[in-house]
Amino acid sequence: PPVGASRACSSCVRTADVKDACAQCDRFVCQSCSRLCSCCNTVTCSLCSTVDYGVVGEQVLCNGCSIFQV
């Protein structure tokens, strides 16, 4: 990130434990708010992922993987 840029979580706006960035939009996301895609295992924020409540159970899918699900 550029010097002086905020490292606050894009979802909850907390700065504590912000270590990851969303693989889709590059927004910072804390461990509490991050979602791991069930398909490709990338870290995403809540804006760049969807939850699929299918027959198998609850699955988190990033926007990239969700377009391939039928």
Side-chain angles (χ1 to χ4, degrees):
V3 175
S6 173
R7 288 192 48 93
C9 175
S10 63
S11 296
C12 68
V13 196
R14 287 183 292 195
T15 56
D17 297 328
V18 176
K19 297 176 184 171
D20 293 317
C22 174
Q24 302 282 311
C25 67
D26 293 327
R27 289 185 181 112
F28 290 115
V29 63
C30 71
Q31 188 174 11
S32 307
C33 297
S34 67
R35 295 179 174 179
L36 189 63
C37 178
S38 300
C39 188
C40 66
N41 290 322
T42 59
V43 174
T44 59
C45 68
S46 60
L47 298 174
C48 295
S49 59
T50 57
V51 180
D52 179 23
Y53 300 100
V55 177
V56 179
E58 188 176 295
Q59 270 188 314
V60 173
L61 297 171
C62 69
N63 288 344
C65 293
S66 67
I67 61 172
F68 296 111
Q69 298 299 315
V70 178

